[in-house]
Amino acid sequence: MHGAAIVGQNRQLARDVFLLSLQAPELARAAAPGQFLMLRVTSGPEPLLARPFSIHAVEGDDVGVLYRVVGRGTRLLAQATAGQRLELWGPLGRGFDLALERPLLVAGGMGIAPLRFAAQRLTARGARPRLLCGLASATGLGGLVEAVDECLTAQSCAVSWVTEDGSLGERGLVTALLDRALEGVDGVLCCGPMAMLRAVAEACGRQGVACQVSLEAPMACGVGACLGCVIPAADGGYLRACQEGPVLPAAAVDWPRLA
Ligand SMILES: Cc1cc2nc3c(=O)[nH]c(=O)nc-3n(C[C@H](O)[C@H](O)[C@H](O)COP(=O)(O)OP(=O)(O)OC[C@H]3O[C@@H](n4cnc5c(N)ncnc54)[C@H](O)[C@@H]3O)c2cc1C
Ligand code: FES
């Protein structure tokens, strides 16, 4: 679908993290966890390329986007107000395979964005997901932590926090806790920085647990035309993150060539 969405809310959760709610009934009906949308702020003096964002939540006709302000596009987005029209297309790409009973969701930082929607659909299917969520520090991110705890607990998804500075939950890296966390798990869904994805993929490989990774490659078109998002594949070829991904089986990725 290519069209417009109306901003319902654009709530600041933390210093540079916002939760955008869009009235987009067609998108809400069609969206699956792990898929993304391309969003363009149409007001303002300069034309901007659309930016890719994961679908964070679907509630009725509303689609949620959780985003961090990092540059020009997200700075403009942070200024969007209720009632404003934004240009969007989606849902795009391939999402998670949710045929799991005891999945572990592993998030690094903003990697939580697609995993909340996955948790929502997994519990609706009768699965019992758990979330392991890592942050460099929880300092200044209280609103984000609260929002994640609130919505995932409401979906009966147990949340464990890990922070590098020990400001919340266990101190350390998500990957250090993985071997223990993988016990009894029948699949892992993972989103976060590339180094974390690779470490999670390796840990899952060692324990024989199927792992799906959501890859955030830089994207210009989002629809398979520009090849700006290609990922080296394990078979020696390439995969477009926007078409064959963004969610891929970890075993399909050539991790050494990606680094
Ligand atoms: C499939 C997909 C889903 C995404 N989902 C989310 C989401 O749910 N929430 C969220 O906050 N962000 C998400 N992102 C990242 C988001 O698209 C970028 O942060 C955004 O495009 C930045 O736009 P900008 O104009 O603000 O920054 P720019 O001015 O374009 O860039 C600012 C800085 O961010 C870096 N950057 C831009 N895009 C990426 C990227 N894809 N990966 C790594 N670094 C990047 C640039 O290299 C630059 O250093 C997703 C990306 C992809 C590909
Ligand atoms: S973003 Fe253009 S081909 Fe993937």
Side-chain angles (χ1 to χ4, degrees), residues 36 53 59 119 138-139 160 166 173 185 191 193 201 207 239 242 250:
F36 67 100
F53 296 97
E59 307 284 354
T139 306
S160 305
L173 294 174
V185 158
C191 186
Q207 297 213 22
L239 296 163
C242 69

Side-chain angles (χ1 to χ4, degrees), residues 36 51-54 65-68 70-75 110 113-114 215-219 246:
F36 67 100
R51 301 293 194 253
F53 296 97
S54 302
V65 171
L66 179 74
Y67 66 98
R68 185 189 284 276
V70 295
R72 210 153 56 96
T74 43
R75 260 198 306 277
M110 293 304 290
L215 293 160
E216 290 195 358
M219 288 183 185

Side-chain angles (χ1 to χ4, degrees), residues 45-182:
E46 306 164 70
L48 261 186
L49 278 178
R51 301 293 194 253
F53 296 97
S54 302
I55 297 168
H56 177 63
V58 171
E59 307 284 354
D61 286 347
D62 294 346
V63 173
V65 171
L66 179 74
Y67 66 98
R68 185 189 284 276
V69 175
V70 295
R72 210 153 56 96
T74 43
R75 260 198 306 277
L76 268 182
L77 192 56
Q79 290 161 21
T81 52
Q84 187 171 334
R85 288 167 75 85
L86 302 180
E87 194 181 342
L88 73 73
W89 50 105
L92 300 170
R94 293 200 188 167
F96 294 107
D97 177 355
L98 300 180
L100 296 166
E101 288 176 9
R102 294 177 315 283
L104 178 70
L105 316 186
V106 184
M110 293 304 290
I112 185 62
L115 294 178
R116 186 243 162 133
F117 187 23
Q120 192 178 15
R121 288 286 163 90
L122 280 163
T123 47
R125 291 170 54 98
R128 283 176 289 126
R130 284 186 291 130
L131 172 73
L132 186 57
C133 193
L135 299 172
S137 171
T139 306
L141 292 179
L144 172 65
V145 168
E146 215 171 277
V148 169
D149 272 338
E150 197 178 287
C151 65
L152 291 192
T153 308
Q155 287 157 24
S156 311
C157 175
V159 181
S160 305
W161 293 96
V162 187
T163 48
E164 288 173 41
D165 67 356
S167 51
L168 179 68
E170 291 207 40
R171 179 193 290 267
L173 294 174
V174 156
T175 42
L177 303 182
L178 256 191
D179 286 336
R180 185 162 29 109
L182 286 175

Side-chain angles (χ1 to χ4, degrees), residues 194 197-199 201-202 213 215 232 234 249-259:
M194 285 294 178
L197 297 184
R198 182 176 179 175
E202 285 168 359
V213 291
L215 293 160
V253 177
D254 184 339
W255 295 100
R257 267 204 299 154
L258 185 59

